[in-house]
Amino acid sequence: PRIAGADPRRSGGRDDAAQAAELLNMLTEREKPDLVICLLPGNQSENAKALYPAIKRWSASCGIATQCIQLAAMKKNCNPKGVKSYIAGVLLKVNLKLGGKNGFVGESVHASRS
């Protein structure tokens, strides 16, 4: 898989949302990945205003699934149990976005209700 990154400090005056859309377009111009994972810097309230919505608009327009990871949330939950829970939640979302199932009801449960 290809890995690319962007440093907001080198955006040339562009805002984070415009930079994110440009990077996402560049990443997917040759091939269409199944999933793009975006690591969001800064605090959550700033990301919620422009960066996160821009990524999700891009995702909806081109049909490529995205998963955003808030780096601030990772730092906030820096104890091992908190980070483990956060990552587990992210992985459950990734699994669903890639067509997986996070749970199912087995036949034995259905048979016992008959």
Side-chain angles (χ1 to χ4, degrees), residues 2-5 22-33 36-37 58:
R2 294 182 298 161
I3 299 173
E22 181 181 318
L23 178 62
L24 291 166
N25 285 328
M26 180 191 73
L27 284 171
T28 59
E29 67 187 15
R30 288 190 212 136
E31 58 185 291
K32 185 175 176 181
V36 174
I37 296 176
W58 174 86

Side-chain angles (χ1 to χ4, degrees), residues 74-93:
M74 293 286 290
K75 290 178 185 175
K76 185 174 85 174
N77 296 312
C78 64
N79 65 64
K81 187 176 181 180
V83 170
K84 190 175 180 180
S85 296
Y86 182 79
I87 292 173
V90 168
L91 292 176
L92 286 169
K93 291 176 186 177

Side-chain angles (χ1 to χ4, degrees), residues 32-43:
K32 185 175 176 181
D34 294 327
L35 176 74
V36 174
I37 296 176
C38 303
L39 303 176
L40 304 183
N43 68 48

